[in-house]
Amino acid sequence: MTKFLPLILLGLYLAAMWFFSAWRLKQELNQKSTPLRHPRLTPMLERLGRAMDLPPIRAHIYEVEPINGLAAPDGRIFLTRGFIRKLDACEVTPEELASVIAHELGHVSLGHSRRRMVDFAGQNAIRMALAGVLSRFIPGFGAMIANAIATAVAARLSRQDEFEADRFASALMIKAGLGTGPQKSLFHKLDALSGRMGAGAPAWFLSHPPTPRRIEAIEAHEARWRG
């Protein structure tokens, strides 16, 4: 039994990390969010719902300024207040924000949101284990190398999720009669809207794929669907 104790302890640690992370995120979102009731977005939520044979999609506004969308592990969809301000300033369109909501629905439908919480806990455990081993052989640099490896693995998994959610969003936008034009036009705007976040980071550390690759993937899917 004792030989399995490290694995049991690791499992308990991962479970505790998952529950704590999920609880903390839920509390943050509960405290800083309001229901999304915007006259220009309500028709978009209705169209997306009809396309999925559901009532109008319910979404929330996360009261923070960075430009982003979010799918919570409990299935709720959020647009940040920063995105809503861009809509009110006519810098983005309702259709473009509908594509963000469709993308986040993809994360929920494909199970990405819950899996990312598990991955987060697992990555912390891997980071700690690697740091302990590498520090014995490379004192002073072991933790740094372990962190770089864990970050690169996490970024790769996240990029795969983004491509899958993009594909889901494309299919939903087409079914809703909105097409993929808003999805692609928003991608062209995102670097400027977000201040080119991550522009100087190596590609393998970025959690989102490069914009041109995302647009190419959408157009490749469209070509296959038409064929």
Side-chain angles (χ1 to χ4, degrees), residues 75-137:
R76 289 181 295 170
I77 303 297
F78 296 83
L79 293 178
T80 62
R81 176 60 67 180
F83 244 147
I84 302 301
R85 293 193 197 284
K86 297 298 182 183
L87 174 65
D88 291 337
C90 296
E91 295 182 45
V92 297
T93 68
E95 292 79 9
E96 287 171 341
L97 289 193
S99 76
V100 178
I101 294 170
H103 176 91
E104 300 307 330
L105 285 169
H107 283 311
V108 172
S109 299
L110 297 168
H112 296 162
S113 304
R114 289 182 176 275
R115 193 180 72 213
R116 283 181 178 182
M117 297 298 290
V118 176
D119 289 345
F120 172 75
Q123 288 151 19
N124 279 338
I126 292 170
R127 185 180 287 108
M128 292 172 61
L130 277 176
V133 172
L134 292 175
S135 293
R136 295 183 178 182
F137 300 98

Side-chain angles (χ1 to χ4, degrees), residues 18-154:
W18 188 91
F19 282 111
F20 176 72
S21 299
W23 175 83
R24 185 171 60 180
L25 177 60
K26 185 174 183 179
Q27 294 301 308
E28 166 82 7
L29 294 174
N30 287 344
Q31 293 169 10
K32 295 185 178 180
S33 68
T34 55
L36 175 56
R37 298 189 181 96
H38 194 288
R40 298 176 66 195
L41 288 177
T42 297
M44 301 295 109
L45 298 176
E46 293 172 349
R47 292 180 70 165
L48 293 176
R50 283 197 300 271
M52 300 177 73
D53 296 322
L54 294 171
I57 299 300
R58 296 177 61 186
H60 300 77
I61 302 176
Y62 184 23
E63 299 291 346
V64 297
E65 290 304 321
I67 307 299
N68 210 347
L70 172 68
D74 60 12
R76 289 181 295 170
I77 303 297
F78 296 83
L79 293 178
T80 62
R81 176 60 67 180
F83 244 147
I84 302 301
R85 293 193 197 284
K86 297 298 182 183
L87 174 65
D88 291 337
C90 296
E91 295 182 45
V92 297
T93 68
E95 292 79 9
E96 287 171 341
L97 289 193
S99 76
V100 178
I101 294 170
H103 176 91
E104 300 307 330
L105 285 169
H107 283 311
V108 172
S109 299
L110 297 168
H112 296 162
S113 304
R114 289 182 176 275
R115 193 180 72 213
R116 283 181 178 182
M117 297 298 290
V118 176
D119 289 345
F120 172 75
Q123 288 151 19
N124 279 338
I126 292 170
R127 185 180 287 108
M128 292 172 61
L130 277 176
V133 172
L134 292 175
S135 293
R136 295 183 178 182
F137 300 98
I138 316 173
F141 293 96
M144 186 184 305
I145 296 172
N147 184 66
I149 293 172
T151 299
V153 171

Side-chain angles (χ1 to χ4, degrees), residues 68 103 107 116 155 158-159 162 203 205-211 214:
N68 210 347
H103 176 91
H107 283 311
R116 283 181 178 182
S158 181
R159 290 195 298 271
E162 295 305 317
F205 282 166
L206 297 179
S207 61
H208 286 60
T211 297
R214 296 179 77 171

